[in-house]
């Protein structure tokens, strides 16, 4: 006889659907929306990239997020152990644990470079607060940035500080406190972004910024940029690596998985689009290059802060809130590894955090150096940071996503997914099923093949 699955995770349960939405949005909204989305959009020619990104969020992101929450709620454990339970329940191969493994490793790999950029954010709080950007032109902001990233010692220091604070939060188990703070800080960040969009309207280049983002020019779209747009959809929604599975494992039964997923995706995409609308008018107004890469927001936003009234306070506050957003995401990146070490080896939370943190920090040094002394050290034309980002966002997360889709769509019993998802409307269920069974795996596959030039 099948052993009934636990109704609740051993690590607890969300008090309501609302706390779950907030926590998952906290994990989803981060550097990916405000730092990465604008620079990828700039590098990939703008509007057509944005369109593919939005289509991927709607057609792949939402159904996959539903599947991931579903697997987590059914398995009620860390991604690796949840997949172990679920493969036993569905009588499929234990190999399905690979979903959990690849996600846990991807989380650590992503955090190793995420922490370096988190360190930049930390440094920019101080730079803004000290008035470094008062009256700054685009050129000054750009040279301040290149001097900053050109110094390995400086980046090493900020990366270390970011990592120590992140792992202390994880080790101390004070995520709860942080999540409560996020209830107020996230809406404030959203409001500040709106103010920035308001500032951009005064630059005289708002129309040009909007056209760059929203008037599709398909001539700019290549297989590689489609892959990047898809990878960014996964990255931004934190999909394909088990984070959402862990969060889903704390979701009470009866919560509507569909409407929750839509709410998270809307909030996440909204923040990314606002960031784009704030940044590109400043880029054009100052004659900057939209495709200037990972430094884009650190070169553009300071110009705005330096030239607006109250810009010193406003700029520091903006980077503080971005830092908090980065922390909530960082915690969710390393949580699968930490909880797995605790569950499997019986380690204490402190030891597990120390081991995971140390390994991640060490790996992060590769990214630190890829902005200066290892800048020219490349493999397939990509430096260490670019390679790590490509491997995780564009390969590991989409492949993890396909496996999750196949597992939820093909291997779990229809009655089971129906009752777990709790979708009353049969057409809505059929849409979800078609998307995860056919559309998602085929689409991801086509984009992967296209990007390597096979299609
Ligand atoms: N979604 C986060 C961001 O946009 O910054 C990054 C991230 C967090 C990716 C957690 C993956 C993840 F599991």
């Amino acid at each position: 006889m099948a052993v009934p699955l636990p109704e609740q995770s051993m690590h607890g349960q969300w008090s309501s659907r609302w706390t779950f939405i907030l926590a998952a949005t906290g994990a989803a909204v981060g550097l990916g929306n405000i730092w990465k989305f604008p620079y990828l959009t700039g590098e990939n020619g703008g509007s057509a990239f944005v369109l593919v990104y939005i289509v991927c969020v709607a057609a792949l992101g939402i159904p996959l997020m539903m599947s991931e929450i579903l697997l987590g709620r059914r398995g009620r454990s860390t991604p690796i152990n949840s997949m172990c339970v679920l493969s036993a329940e569905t009588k499929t191969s234990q190999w399905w644990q690979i979903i959990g493994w690849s996600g846990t490793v991807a989380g650590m790999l992503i955090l190793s470079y995420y922490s370096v950029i988190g360190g930049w954010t930390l440094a920019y709080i101080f730079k803004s607060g000290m008035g470094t950007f008062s009256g700054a032109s685009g050129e000054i902001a750009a040279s301040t940035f290149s001097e900053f990233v050109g110094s390995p010692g400086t980046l090493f220091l900020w990366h270390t500080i970011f990592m120590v604070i992140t792992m202390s939060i994880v080790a101390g188990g004070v995520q709860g406190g942080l999540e409560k703070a996020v209830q107020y800080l996230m809406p404030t960040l959203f409001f500040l972004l709106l103010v920035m969009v308001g500032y951009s309207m005064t630059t005289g280049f708002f129309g040009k910024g909007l056209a760059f983002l929203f008037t599709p020019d398909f001539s700019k779209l290549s297989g590689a940029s489609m892959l990047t747009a898809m990878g960014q959809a996964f990255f931004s929604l934190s999909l394909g690596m088990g984070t959402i599975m862990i969060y889903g494992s704390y979701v009470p039964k009866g919560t509507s998985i569909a409407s929750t997923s839509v709410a998270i995706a809307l909030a996440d995409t909204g923040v990314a689009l606002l960031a784009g609308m704030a940044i590109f008018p400043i880029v054009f107004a100052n004659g900057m290059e939209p495709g200037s890469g990972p430094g884009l927001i650190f070169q553009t936003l300071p110009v705005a802060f330096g030239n607006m009234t109250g810009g010193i306070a406003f700029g520091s506050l903006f980077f503080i809130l971005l830092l908090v957003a980065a922390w909530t995401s960082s915690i969710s990146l390393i949580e699968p590894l930490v909880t797995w070490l605790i569950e499997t080896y019986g380690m204490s939370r402190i030891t597990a955090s120390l081991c995971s943190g140390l390994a991640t920090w060490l790996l992060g040094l590769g990214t630190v150096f890829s902005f200066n002394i290892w800048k020219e050290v490349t493999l397939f034309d990509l430096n260490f940071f670019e390679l790590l980002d490509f491997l995780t966002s564009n390969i590991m997360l989409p492949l993890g996503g396909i496996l999750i889709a196949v597992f939820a769509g093909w291997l779990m019993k229809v009655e089971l997914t129906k009752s777990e998802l709790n979708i009353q409307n049969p057409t809505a269920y059929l849409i979800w099923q078609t998307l995860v069974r056919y559309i998602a795996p085929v689409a991801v596959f086509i984009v992967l093949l296209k990007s390597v030039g096979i299609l």
Side-chain angles (χ1 to χ4, degrees), residues 24-37 53 68 103 106-107 110-111 113-114 232-244 247 268 325-326 328-334 336 393 397:
T25 310
V29 173
L31 294 171
N33 307 63
I34 294 171
W35 158 72
K36 202 173 179 199
F37 172 76
Y53 167 74
E68 219 175 305
I110 293 174
L111 182 59
Y113 70 77
Y114 205 84
Q232 173 63 7
F234 278 87
F235 183 90
S236 193
L237 293 172
S238 312
L239 288 179
M241 59 148 281
T243 307
I244 294 291
Y247 280 45
D268 188 72
T328 48
S329 302
S330 302
I331 291 166
S332 71
L333 280 163
I334 203 68
S393 307
L397 300 188

Short mmCIF file of all heavy atoms in Angstrom, two decimals, residues 24-37 53 68 103 106-107 110-111 113-114 232-244 247 268 325-326 328-334 336 393 397, ligand 1:
data_model
loop_
_atom_site.label_atom_id
_atom_site.label_comp_id
_atom_site.label_asym_id
_atom_site.label_seq_id
_atom_site.Cartn_x
_atom_site.Cartn_y
_atom_site.Cartn_z
N ALA A 24 7.55 34.44 -2.48
CA ALA A 24 7.97 34.01 -3.82
C ALA A 24 8.30 35.22 -4.69
O ALA A 24 9.25 35.19 -5.48
CB ALA A 24 6.88 33.16 -4.47
N THR A 25 7.55 36.31 -4.52
CA THR A 25 7.87 37.52 -5.29
C THR A 25 9.20 38.08 -4.81
O THR A 25 10.00 38.55 -5.61
CB THR A 25 6.75 38.58 -5.13
OG1 THR A 25 5.52 37.95 -5.38
CG2 THR A 25 6.94 39.73 -6.10
N GLY A 26 9.45 37.98 -3.51
CA GLY A 26 10.74 38.43 -2.98
C GLY A 26 11.88 37.66 -3.59
O GLY A 26 12.94 38.21 -3.90
N ALA A 27 11.68 36.35 -3.80
CA ALA A 27 12.73 35.53 -4.41
C ALA A 27 12.86 35.85 -5.89
O ALA A 27 13.95 35.86 -6.45
CB ALA A 27 12.42 34.05 -4.23
N ALA A 28 11.72 36.14 -6.53
CA ALA A 28 11.76 36.37 -7.97
C ALA A 28 12.31 37.75 -8.31
O ALA A 28 13.16 37.90 -9.18
CB ALA A 28 10.35 36.21 -8.55
N VAL A 29 11.84 38.78 -7.60
CA VAL A 29 12.30 40.14 -7.91
C VAL A 29 13.67 40.35 -7.28
O VAL A 29 13.85 40.16 -6.09
CB VAL A 29 11.32 41.20 -7.36
CG1 VAL A 29 11.89 42.59 -7.55
CG2 VAL A 29 9.98 41.06 -8.06
N GLY A 30 14.62 40.68 -8.12
CA GLY A 30 15.98 40.88 -7.59
C GLY A 30 16.83 41.57 -8.63
O GLY A 30 16.32 42.31 -9.48
N LEU A 31 18.11 41.27 -8.60
CA LEU A 31 19.03 41.88 -9.56
C LEU A 31 18.63 41.52 -10.99
O LEU A 31 18.89 42.26 -11.92
CB LEU A 31 20.45 41.40 -9.28
CG LEU A 31 21.04 41.86 -7.94
CD1 LEU A 31 22.36 41.15 -7.67
CD2 LEU A 31 21.24 43.37 -7.94
N GLY A 32 17.99 40.35 -11.14
CA GLY A 32 17.57 39.90 -12.46
C GLY A 32 16.67 40.91 -13.15
O GLY A 32 16.75 41.11 -14.36
N ASN A 33 15.79 41.55 -12.38
CA ASN A 33 14.85 42.49 -12.96
C ASN A 33 15.47 43.85 -13.23
O ASN A 33 15.24 44.46 -14.25
CB ASN A 33 13.66 42.74 -12.00
CG ASN A 33 13.02 41.45 -11.57
OD1 ASN A 33 13.66 40.63 -10.92
ND2 ASN A 33 11.79 41.25 -11.93
N ILE A 34 16.27 44.33 -12.26
CA ILE A 34 16.70 45.73 -12.33
C ILE A 34 18.11 45.86 -12.92
O ILE A 34 18.42 46.82 -13.59
CB ILE A 34 16.58 46.36 -10.93
CG1 ILE A 34 15.08 46.41 -10.58
CG2 ILE A 34 17.19 47.75 -10.87
CD1 ILE A 34 14.76 46.80 -9.18
N TRP A 35 18.95 44.87 -12.70
CA TRP A 35 20.30 44.92 -13.25
C TRP A 35 20.38 44.17 -14.58
O TRP A 35 20.85 44.69 -15.59
CB TRP A 35 21.30 44.32 -12.24
CG TRP A 35 22.59 43.83 -12.82
CD1 TRP A 35 23.61 44.62 -13.30
CD2 TRP A 35 23.00 42.47 -12.99
NE1 TRP A 35 24.64 43.81 -13.75
CE2 TRP A 35 24.30 42.48 -13.57
CE3 TRP A 35 22.43 41.22 -12.69
CZ2 TRP A 35 25.00 41.32 -13.88
CZ3 TRP A 35 23.13 40.07 -12.99
CH2 TRP A 35 24.41 40.14 -13.58
N LYS A 36 19.86 42.90 -14.60
CA LYS A 36 20.11 42.06 -15.76
C LYS A 36 19.18 42.33 -16.94
O LYS A 36 19.63 42.40 -18.09
CB LYS A 36 20.00 40.59 -15.32
CG LYS A 36 20.72 39.64 -16.23
CD LYS A 36 20.70 38.24 -15.66
CE LYS A 36 21.42 37.28 -16.58
NZ LYS A 36 21.06 35.90 -16.30
N PHE A 37 17.88 42.47 -16.64
CA PHE A 37 16.93 42.66 -17.74
C PHE A 37 17.30 43.87 -18.61
O PHE A 37 17.39 43.74 -19.84
CB PHE A 37 15.50 42.78 -17.19
CG PHE A 37 14.49 43.15 -18.23
CD1 PHE A 37 14.03 42.21 -19.15
CD2 PHE A 37 14.01 44.46 -18.33
CE1 PHE A 37 13.12 42.56 -20.14
CE2 PHE A 37 13.09 44.81 -19.30
CZ PHE A 37 12.65 43.86 -20.21
N TYR A 53 10.70 37.75 -24.56
CA TYR A 53 10.77 37.56 -23.11
C TYR A 53 9.35 37.47 -22.53
O TYR A 53 9.04 36.55 -21.76
CB TYR A 53 11.55 38.73 -22.50
CG TYR A 53 11.46 38.85 -21.01
CD1 TYR A 53 12.13 37.96 -20.18
CD2 TYR A 53 10.69 39.85 -20.42
CE1 TYR A 53 12.04 38.07 -18.80
CE2 TYR A 53 10.60 39.97 -19.04
CZ TYR A 53 11.27 39.09 -18.24
OH TYR A 53 11.19 39.19 -16.87
N GLU A 68 6.01 23.61 -10.87
CA GLU A 68 7.03 23.54 -9.83
C GLU A 68 6.42 23.63 -8.43
O GLU A 68 6.81 22.90 -7.52
CB GLU A 68 8.07 24.64 -10.07
CG GLU A 68 9.46 24.15 -9.77
CD GLU A 68 10.57 25.12 -10.08
OE1 GLU A 68 10.66 25.60 -11.23
OE2 GLU A 68 11.38 25.37 -9.17
N GLY A 103 19.20 21.67 -10.15
CA GLY A 103 18.74 22.93 -9.59
C GLY A 103 19.59 23.38 -8.42
O GLY A 103 19.94 24.56 -8.30
N ALA A 106 22.81 24.61 -9.81
CA ALA A 106 22.62 25.88 -10.52
C ALA A 106 22.48 27.03 -9.53
O ALA A 106 23.03 28.11 -9.74
CB ALA A 106 21.38 25.80 -11.42
N GLY A 107 21.76 26.79 -8.43
CA GLY A 107 21.55 27.85 -7.44
C GLY A 107 22.87 28.34 -6.88
O GLY A 107 23.11 29.54 -6.75
N ILE A 110 24.81 30.25 -9.61
CA ILE A 110 24.26 31.60 -9.83
C ILE A 110 24.64 32.51 -8.67
O ILE A 110 25.09 33.64 -8.87
CB ILE A 110 22.71 31.56 -10.00
CG1 ILE A 110 22.32 30.82 -11.28
CG2 ILE A 110 22.14 32.98 -10.02
CD1 ILE A 110 20.83 30.61 -11.47
N LEU A 111 24.50 32.01 -7.44
CA LEU A 111 24.81 32.88 -6.30
C LEU A 111 26.27 33.35 -6.34
O LEU A 111 26.58 34.46 -5.92
CB LEU A 111 24.50 32.18 -4.97
CG LEU A 111 24.77 33.05 -3.74
CD1 LEU A 111 23.95 34.34 -3.76
CD2 LEU A 111 24.49 32.31 -2.44
N TYR A 113 28.06 34.41 -8.74
CA TYR A 113 28.26 35.70 -9.43
C TYR A 113 27.25 36.76 -8.98
O TYR A 113 27.52 37.95 -9.03
CB TYR A 113 28.30 35.54 -10.95
CG TYR A 113 27.00 35.19 -11.65
CD1 TYR A 113 26.03 36.15 -11.86
CD2 TYR A 113 26.76 33.91 -12.14
CE1 TYR A 113 24.84 35.83 -12.52
CE2 TYR A 113 25.59 33.59 -12.81
CZ TYR A 113 24.63 34.56 -12.99
OH TYR A 113 23.46 34.25 -13.64
N TYR A 114 26.08 36.30 -8.53
CA TYR A 114 25.05 37.22 -8.04
C TYR A 114 25.62 38.02 -6.87
O TYR A 114 25.34 39.20 -6.71
CB TYR A 114 23.89 36.35 -7.57
CG TYR A 114 22.53 36.99 -7.56
CD1 TYR A 114 21.75 37.04 -8.71
CD2 TYR A 114 21.99 37.52 -6.40
CE1 TYR A 114 20.48 37.58 -8.70
CE2 TYR A 114 20.72 38.07 -6.38
CZ TYR A 114 19.98 38.09 -7.53
OH TYR A 114 18.71 38.63 -7.51
N GLN A 232 16.38 34.39 -19.66
CA GLN A 232 16.07 35.47 -18.73
C GLN A 232 14.69 35.28 -18.10
O GLN A 232 14.48 35.59 -16.93
CB GLN A 232 16.19 36.82 -19.45
CG GLN A 232 15.74 38.03 -18.64
CD GLN A 232 16.57 38.26 -17.37
OE1 GLN A 232 17.57 37.59 -17.13
NE2 GLN A 232 16.12 39.18 -16.54
N ALA A 233 13.73 34.75 -18.88
CA ALA A 233 12.40 34.50 -18.31
C ALA A 233 12.51 33.49 -17.16
O ALA A 233 11.93 33.67 -16.09
CB ALA A 233 11.45 34.00 -19.38
N PHE A 234 13.30 32.44 -17.37
CA PHE A 234 13.50 31.44 -16.31
C PHE A 234 14.22 32.05 -15.11
O PHE A 234 13.84 31.85 -13.97
CB PHE A 234 14.33 30.26 -16.83
CG PHE A 234 13.51 29.26 -17.59
CD1 PHE A 234 13.28 29.42 -18.95
CD2 PHE A 234 12.97 28.15 -16.96
CE1 PHE A 234 12.53 28.51 -19.66
CE2 PHE A 234 12.21 27.24 -17.66
CZ PHE A 234 11.99 27.41 -19.02
N PHE A 235 15.28 32.79 -15.41
CA PHE A 235 16.10 33.38 -14.35
C PHE A 235 15.26 34.33 -13.50
O PHE A 235 15.26 34.27 -12.28
CB PHE A 235 17.28 34.13 -14.99
CG PHE A 235 18.24 34.72 -14.00
CD1 PHE A 235 19.34 33.97 -13.56
CD2 PHE A 235 18.09 36.01 -13.51
CE1 PHE A 235 20.24 34.51 -12.66
CE2 PHE A 235 18.99 36.55 -12.61
CZ PHE A 235 20.07 35.80 -12.18
N SER A 236 14.54 35.22 -14.20
CA SER A 236 13.81 36.25 -13.49
C SER A 236 12.69 35.67 -12.62
O SER A 236 12.43 36.15 -11.51
CB SER A 236 13.24 37.24 -14.49
OG SER A 236 12.80 38.37 -13.82
N LEU A 237 12.05 34.61 -13.11
CA LEU A 237 10.97 34.01 -12.32
C LEU A 237 11.51 32.96 -11.35
O LEU A 237 10.75 32.32 -10.63
CB LEU A 237 9.94 33.36 -13.24
CG LEU A 237 9.13 34.32 -14.13
CD1 LEU A 237 8.29 33.53 -15.13
CD2 LEU A 237 8.21 35.20 -13.29
N SER A 238 12.81 32.78 -11.32
CA SER A 238 13.47 31.77 -10.46
C SER A 238 12.98 30.37 -10.78
O SER A 238 12.74 29.56 -9.87
CB SER A 238 13.21 32.02 -8.97
OG SER A 238 13.43 33.33 -8.62
N LEU A 239 12.81 30.06 -12.07
CA LEU A 239 12.27 28.75 -12.44
C LEU A 239 13.32 27.75 -12.87
O LEU A 239 14.42 28.13 -13.28
CB LEU A 239 11.30 28.91 -13.61
CG LEU A 239 9.99 29.58 -13.28
CD1 LEU A 239 9.15 29.70 -14.54
CD2 LEU A 239 9.24 28.79 -12.22
N GLY A 240 12.98 26.48 -12.80
CA GLY A 240 13.83 25.44 -13.35
C GLY A 240 14.93 25.00 -12.41
O GLY A 240 15.80 24.23 -12.80
N MET A 241 14.93 25.52 -11.18
CA MET A 241 16.01 25.09 -10.30
C MET A 241 15.54 24.69 -8.89
O MET A 241 16.38 24.44 -8.03
CB MET A 241 17.12 26.11 -10.24
CG MET A 241 16.73 27.47 -9.77
SD MET A 241 18.10 28.23 -8.90
CE MET A 241 17.96 27.44 -7.33
N GLY A 242 14.25 24.64 -8.69
CA GLY A 242 13.79 24.07 -7.43
C GLY A 242 13.52 25.05 -6.31
O GLY A 242 13.01 24.66 -5.26
N THR A 243 13.86 26.33 -6.51
CA THR A 243 13.56 27.30 -5.45
C THR A 243 12.07 27.37 -5.23
O THR A 243 11.58 27.31 -4.10
CB THR A 243 13.96 28.72 -5.91
OG1 THR A 243 15.28 28.68 -6.31
CG2 THR A 243 13.76 29.72 -4.84
N ILE A 244 11.36 27.50 -6.35
CA ILE A 244 9.91 27.64 -6.24
C ILE A 244 9.32 26.32 -5.69
O ILE A 244 8.31 26.32 -5.02
CB ILE A 244 9.33 28.00 -7.63
CG1 ILE A 244 9.81 29.39 -8.04
CG2 ILE A 244 7.81 27.92 -7.66
CD1 ILE A 244 9.26 30.54 -7.24
N TYR A 247 9.59 26.61 -1.99
CA TYR A 247 8.56 27.53 -1.50
C TYR A 247 7.21 26.87 -1.60
O TYR A 247 6.36 27.02 -0.73
CB TYR A 247 8.60 28.85 -2.29
CG TYR A 247 9.70 29.78 -1.82
CD1 TYR A 247 10.97 29.29 -1.58
CD2 TYR A 247 9.47 31.12 -1.59
CE1 TYR A 247 11.98 30.12 -1.13
CE2 TYR A 247 10.47 31.96 -1.14
CZ TYR A 247 11.73 31.45 -0.92
OH TYR A 247 12.72 32.27 -0.47
N ASP A 268 6.64 40.36 -11.18
CA ASP A 268 8.04 40.26 -11.59
C ASP A 268 8.27 40.97 -12.93
O ASP A 268 9.22 41.75 -13.07
CB ASP A 268 8.41 38.78 -11.70
CG ASP A 268 9.88 38.58 -11.93
OD1 ASP A 268 10.65 38.81 -10.97
OD2 ASP A 268 10.29 38.25 -13.06
N ALA A 325 16.41 43.48 -2.12
CA ALA A 325 15.82 42.60 -3.14
C ALA A 325 16.83 41.52 -3.53
O ALA A 325 16.48 40.36 -3.73
CB ALA A 325 15.40 43.41 -4.36
N ALA A 326 18.11 41.91 -3.60
CA ALA A 326 19.16 40.94 -3.96
C ALA A 326 19.32 39.91 -2.85
O ALA A 326 19.52 38.72 -3.12
CB ALA A 326 20.48 41.66 -4.21
N THR A 328 17.02 38.79 -0.66
CA THR A 328 15.93 37.80 -0.60
C THR A 328 16.11 36.77 -1.71
O THR A 328 15.83 35.59 -1.52
CB THR A 328 14.54 38.46 -0.73
OG1 THR A 328 14.58 39.35 -1.83
CG2 THR A 328 14.17 39.19 0.52
N SER A 329 16.61 37.21 -2.88
CA SER A 329 16.84 36.25 -3.96
C SER A 329 18.04 35.36 -3.64
O SER A 329 18.00 34.15 -3.89
CB SER A 329 17.10 36.97 -5.28
OG SER A 329 16.02 37.80 -5.59
N SER A 330 19.09 35.94 -3.06
CA SER A 330 20.29 35.16 -2.75
C SER A 330 19.98 34.03 -1.79
O SER A 330 20.46 32.90 -1.95
CB SER A 330 21.34 36.02 -2.07
OG SER A 330 21.67 37.09 -2.88
N ILE A 331 19.16 34.36 -0.79
CA ILE A 331 18.80 33.35 0.20
C ILE A 331 18.11 32.18 -0.49
O ILE A 331 18.39 31.01 -0.23
CB ILE A 331 17.89 33.97 1.27
CG1 ILE A 331 18.71 34.95 2.10
CG2 ILE A 331 17.25 32.92 2.16
CD1 ILE A 331 17.87 35.85 2.95
N SER A 332 17.21 32.51 -1.44
CA SER A 332 16.48 31.42 -2.10
C SER A 332 17.39 30.64 -3.04
O SER A 332 17.10 29.51 -3.38
CB SER A 332 15.27 31.98 -2.84
OG SER A 332 15.68 32.70 -3.96
N LEU A 333 18.49 31.26 -3.48
CA LEU A 333 19.42 30.53 -4.36
C LEU A 333 20.20 29.45 -3.61
O LEU A 333 20.53 28.41 -4.15
CB LEU A 333 20.40 31.51 -5.00
CG LEU A 333 19.87 32.30 -6.19
CD1 LEU A 333 20.74 33.50 -6.49
CD2 LEU A 333 19.77 31.41 -7.42
N ILE A 334 20.52 29.73 -2.35
CA ILE A 334 21.38 28.80 -1.61
C ILE A 334 20.57 27.89 -0.69
O ILE A 334 21.06 26.85 -0.24
CB ILE A 334 22.47 29.59 -0.82
CG1 ILE A 334 23.68 28.71 -0.52
CG2 ILE A 334 21.93 30.23 0.42
CD1 ILE A 334 24.49 28.31 -1.70
N PRO A 336 18.22 25.64 -1.23
CA PRO A 336 18.14 24.21 -1.56
C PRO A 336 19.38 23.44 -1.10
O PRO A 336 19.26 22.35 -0.54
CB PRO A 336 18.05 24.20 -3.09
CG PRO A 336 17.47 25.52 -3.45
CD PRO A 336 17.97 26.48 -2.42
N SER A 393 21.74 30.21 -16.78
CA SER A 393 20.47 30.79 -17.25
C SER A 393 19.99 30.16 -18.55
O SER A 393 18.81 29.90 -18.72
CB SER A 393 20.61 32.28 -17.51
OG SER A 393 21.13 32.92 -16.40
N LEU A 397 18.74 26.09 -16.39
CA LEU A 397 17.37 26.41 -15.98
C LEU A 397 16.34 25.94 -17.01
O LEU A 397 15.36 25.27 -16.64
CB LEU A 397 17.20 27.91 -15.66
CG LEU A 397 18.08 28.49 -14.54
CD1 LEU A 397 17.66 29.92 -14.22
CD2 LEU A 397 18.02 27.65 -13.28
N1 LIG B 1 14.93 35.66 -9.84
C1 LIG B 1 16.07 36.29 -9.25
C2 LIG B 1 16.30 37.62 -9.90
O1 LIG B 1 15.59 37.94 -10.87
O2 LIG B 1 17.16 38.36 -9.46
C3 LIG B 1 17.31 35.43 -9.38
C4 LIG B 1 17.05 34.02 -8.98
C5 LIG B 1 16.66 33.72 -7.68
C6 LIG B 1 17.17 33.02 -9.92
C7 LIG B 1 16.39 32.42 -7.31
C8 LIG B 1 16.90 31.72 -9.59
C9 LIG B 1 16.50 31.44 -8.27
F1 LIG B 1 16.24 30.22 -7.95
#
